[in-house]
Amino acid sequence: MCYNNLTIKEDMMAAIIHQKDKRSGITYAYESISYWDKEKKQSRAKRKLIGRVDEATGKIVPTDGRGHRRGQARTGVSAGSTRRFYGATYLLDAIGKKIGMTEDLKACFPDIYQQILSLAYYLILEESNPLFRFEKWSLLHRHPFGDNIPSQRSSELFASIREDAKEKFFRLQSTRRVENEYWAYDTTSISSYSEQLSQAQYGHNKENDPLPQINLAIVFGESSNLPFYYRKLSGNIPDVHTVKQLLRDLKQMGTPKIKLVMDRGFYSKANIDMLLQNHQKFLISLRMSLKLAQDTLDPIYDTFRSFDHYDSDYELYYHTVATTWDYEAYRPTKKETLIAKKRIYIHYYYNIEKAAEDEKRFDRRLGELSQEILEDRRLTKHEKLYAKYFTIKQTPKRGTKVTIKDEAVRKAKRYFGFFAFISNETMDAISALEIYRNKDVVEKAFGNLKERLNMRRMLVSSEQSLDGKLFVEFVALIYLSYIKKQMQRYKLFKTYTLQSLLDQVDVIECFERPGHRLQVGEILQKQKKIYEYMGVEVPA
């Protein structure tokens, strides 16, 4: 199709592009949004049809995406009647009812829960789109609030979401989770362009983004696959220092004694002592460089790779060792420190492929260090490594001579291929491995937040707007997590992506007329199956 008379009008972060179709003579308006393509490393643009340009007035007349004017002859509806897309928002309504989301939001935010839901629905269905495009989406879809939420109103809405109401929501949601399931806890960093946010600090950015950041901590139920709690943290707080506040928050919310699974960034003696003091069950990844991990493994090291302890499904060897923990707890009332022995379990695993990869990486590292010495490019931060693994001699004739310290290298390679977890709950090693691997539900949630819900970098400039927006994003994340859980359960990812599944039902329309019941358009068999897979009734 050929076009001419190309004009561009800037509108906020997007561009409105007018293109005239030579064959029909109709000028169409498109919204073009620029984005950065990581793979091609260049700026690109997404373009969406908005409508036709009225030649007489110059105004844009919205269309349904097929060139038909919205609400006109294609529907044949009378005045006061509306026809909107309904299938996807109905699905979200039904999920919200099923998992108690709508009920809990209404109990905590009685005046604004419908607006919160509508914004969450928009974020779910319009992947990565900014909130200023909500108006267009609102015109096309039936949703809980039923009206437009302008940018100014959404900012006011975010600011009105109170901390006490959020805590009540977390408490209500936590009671809906399986009591005996493990809860996965982890953090991620979210970069910020604003320097006005007090918690936006430079810290360890997990994606090497050179911007100030806030950290976001989330608790996920491993069986339910749903999040129920999050907390915003200053960007310069390391993971290991967040556990104490987590336990305080859970206690304040009145949650039962839970079971936590965490990665090795949360391990410290103080945290283990605190978890034991609070009678919390835990499963935490353990660094093999720790003396505890090595000393406990050494007595069984030579017999570790026996066939009796080999799992063919995971292709690794495993052992569980029961040992004792030197527990310490300060008693402020008695002004004394209690010292005792507590039973703990360390689950060890050895994978041959991991050992080979570890050794390959280590040897490559030694080669790089050796070249730095020989080429006189020594770095201050590597001095300890030079001294640990090399004997360095200077001679007038031969210059610098580097010799490997074989014993130091042998000790370093001794534990290659091993990894371990520490726990205070009795279980076998394979069960512990499966519980820990289910923790990737949090990593997937972080991916949803940053990619689909457009939270990789924040543009908000006020603390209140940030807090409120994070909550709405969290609500959207709960719905997305439920949908993904059902898709994995029924192996729907072989047929659909998340977006294509939502698109399949989004095209189902509803028809409303004053004084009449809501009518739903035709529903195909494959669309009915999607509702069944999601565990909800087909719209009637």
Side-chain angles (χ1 to χ4, degrees), residues 181-436:
E181 72 174 336
Y182 265 88
W183 290 355
Y185 175 65
D186 206 349
T187 66
T188 191
S189 53
I190 299 175
S191 300
S192 172
Y193 290 110
S194 173
E195 296 181 357
Q196 300 177 20
L197 302 175
S198 60
Q199 288 185 308
Q201 302 287 332
Y202 287 97
H204 173 61
N205 192 291
K206 299 181 179 182
E207 297 176 353
N208 300 314
D209 202 344
L211 289 171
Q213 66 189 41
I214 65 164
N215 290 337
L216 194 67
I218 291 185
V219 177
F220 243 90
E222 286 206 347
S223 298
S224 63
N225 276 197
L226 299 177
F228 78 90
Y229 161 90
Y230 76 91
R231 184 160 62 93
K232 177 168 65 77
L233 307 165
S234 180
N236 57 1
I237 296 179
D239 289 350
V240 71
H241 293 157
T242 67
V243 177
K244 187 175 183 178
Q245 188 60 47
L246 168 68
L247 296 179
R248 285 177 180 169
D249 289 349
L250 294 177
K251 186 176 181 180
Q252 270 191 333
M253 288 190 292
T255 56
K257 296 300 179 183
I258 61 170
K259 303 175 181 180
L260 287 171
V261 54
M262 297 178 280
D263 67 29
R264 61 187 187 179
F266 296 96
Y267 173 87
S268 72
K269 186 179 187 309
N271 283 346
I272 299 296
D273 284 341
M274 189 164 40
L275 290 164
L276 291 169
Q277 185 179 15
N278 284 273
H279 307 289
Q280 306 279 172
K281 299 296 184 182
F282 60 83
L283 179 69
I284 302 177
S285 179
L286 201 62
R287 295 180 189 273
M288 286 306 302
S289 58
L290 292 170
K291 188 175 186 299
L292 170 68
Q294 294 180 1
D295 288 351
T296 310
L297 173 62
D298 283 344
I300 61 169
Y301 184 90
D302 292 333
T303 58
F304 195 94
R305 285 195 280 172
S306 64
F307 186 74
D308 291 340
H309 289 87
Y310 179 76
D311 186 278
S312 57
D313 292 331
Y314 290 104
E315 297 183 334
L316 48 71
Y317 298 91
Y318 61 90
H319 273 272
T320 297
V321 180
T323 185
T324 55
W325 178 265
D326 294 327
Y327 169 74
E328 296 179 49
Y330 180 69
R331 295 175 169 181
T333 55
K334 295 185 178 181
K335 296 182 178 180
E336 65 179 17
T337 299
L338 172 66
I339 298 176
K341 298 287 186 181
K342 296 281 187 178
R343 172 71 70 182
I344 59 167
Y345 304 90
I346 301 181
H347 305 286
Y348 290 101
Y349 310 88
Y350 177 83
N351 179 270
I352 295 173
E353 291 181 359
K354 182 179 184 301
E357 286 296 320
D358 288 348
E359 186 165 10
K360 182 179 178 181
R361 192 181 306 112
F362 181 74
D363 288 343
R364 188 186 302 118
R365 182 66 166 148
L366 287 180
E368 292 169 355
L369 292 170
S370 177
Q371 286 300 113
E372 289 174 8
I373 299 169
L374 292 170
E375 296 174 4
D376 197 23
R377 295 185 291 105
R378 293 170 66 151
L379 302 176
T380 304
K381 63 182 179 180
H382 293 164
E383 286 297 333
K384 289 184 178 179
L385 295 175
Y386 301 146
K388 183 176 182 179
Y389 294 116
F390 301 101
T391 299
I392 305 170
K393 292 182 179 180
Q394 298 282 350
T395 62
K397 291 184 178 181
R398 297 183 180 179
T400 304
K401 184 179 180 181
V402 177
T403 307
I404 287 285
K405 292 181 179 179
D406 291 329
E407 182 61 21
V409 171
R410 186 188 64 79
K411 285 183 178 180
K413 292 185 176 183
R414 176 176 172 82
Y415 302 104
F416 284 178
F418 285 95
F419 60 98
F421 309 130
I422 183 172
S423 177
N424 62 339
E425 183 172 33
T426 306
M427 71 179 85
D428 62 81
I430 298 303
S431 296
L433 179 63
E434 289 170 347
I435 289 170
Y436 189 82

Side-chain angles (χ1 to χ4, degrees), residues 155 157-161 197 461-469:
S155 298
L157 174 71
F158 294 150
S160 70
I161 296 175
L197 302 175
S461 57
S462 75
E463 298 283 353
Q464 285 184 317
S465 291
L466 171 61
D467 291 342
K469 186 176 183 182

Side-chain angles (χ1 to χ4, degrees), residues 64 66 70-78 80-86 138-142 507-513 518-522:
D64 66 355
R66 297 185 294 272
R70 196 176 298 135
Q72 274 194 337
R74 77 174 186 91
T75 58
V77 298
S78 58
S81 300
T82 59
R83 190 169 190 169
R84 296 181 179 179
F85 294 118
Y86 177 60
S138 176
L139 287 171
L140 288 171
H141 291 79
R142 191 174 195 267
V507 296
I508 298 171
E509 294 179 311
C510 70
F511 179 53
E512 294 177 278
R513 287 188 297 169
L518 179 76
Q519 291 182 322
V520 180
E522 298 83 355

Side-chain angles (χ1 to χ4, degrees), residues 32-223:
S32 177
I33 300 177
S34 297
Y35 70 97
W36 182 257
D37 190 318
K38 291 182 179 178
E39 294 182 0
K40 297 188 177 181
K41 296 184 179 180
Q42 62 183 6
S43 180
R44 298 178 68 82
K46 293 180 181 178
R47 186 178 294 184
K48 286 192 176 182
L49 176 66
I50 299 175
R52 299 181 179 185
V53 179
D54 190 305
E55 292 185 2
T57 64
K59 292 183 178 180
I60 298 172
V61 180
T63 66
D64 66 355
R66 297 185 294 272
H68 300 128
R69 296 191 178 192
R70 196 176 298 135
Q72 274 194 337
R74 77 174 186 91
T75 58
V77 298
S78 58
S81 300
T82 59
R83 190 169 190 169
R84 296 181 179 179
F85 294 118
Y86 177 60
T89 56
Y90 166 82
L91 173 64
L92 297 175
D93 284 341
I95 291 172
K97 183 177 180 181
K98 182 180 179 69
I99 63 177
M101 281 291 295
T102 309
E103 182 182 344
D104 291 349
L105 283 171
K106 185 176 182 180
C108 302
F109 307 94
D111 298 328
I112 59 172
Y113 79 97
Q114 290 175 315
Q115 296 170 63
I116 291 174
L117 284 171
S118 289
L119 288 175
Y121 287 11
Y122 168 77
L123 292 170
I124 293 166
L125 298 176
E126 296 292 308
E127 181 178 5
S128 301
N129 274 332
L131 283 175
F132 69 78
R133 296 196 70 246
F134 179 87
E135 181 178 6
K136 177 176 179 287
W137 179 85
S138 176
L139 287 171
L140 288 171
H141 291 79
R142 191 174 195 267
H143 56 92
F145 184 56
D147 201 355
N148 181 34
I149 305 176
S151 295
Q152 179 61 35
R153 178 67 193 113
S154 65
S155 298
E156 294 170 0
L157 174 71
F158 294 150
S160 70
I161 296 175
R162 305 187 317 273
E163 282 298 318
D164 59 333
K166 285 195 293 185
E167 288 180 9
K168 181 180 178 182
F169 175 79
F170 295 151
R171 186 166 58 252
L172 291 174
Q173 280 288 291
S174 70
T175 60
R176 298 181 184 275
R177 302 294 176 262
V178 181
E179 186 173 341
N180 291 321
E181 72 174 336
Y182 265 88
W183 290 355
Y185 175 65
D186 206 349
T187 66
T188 191
S189 53
I190 299 175
S191 300
S192 172
Y193 290 110
S194 173
E195 296 181 357
Q196 300 177 20
L197 302 175
S198 60
Q199 288 185 308
Q201 302 287 332
Y202 287 97
H204 173 61
N205 192 291
K206 299 181 179 182
E207 297 176 353
N208 300 314
D209 202 344
L211 289 171
Q213 66 189 41
I214 65 164
N215 290 337
L216 194 67
I218 291 185
V219 177
F220 243 90
E222 286 206 347
S223 298

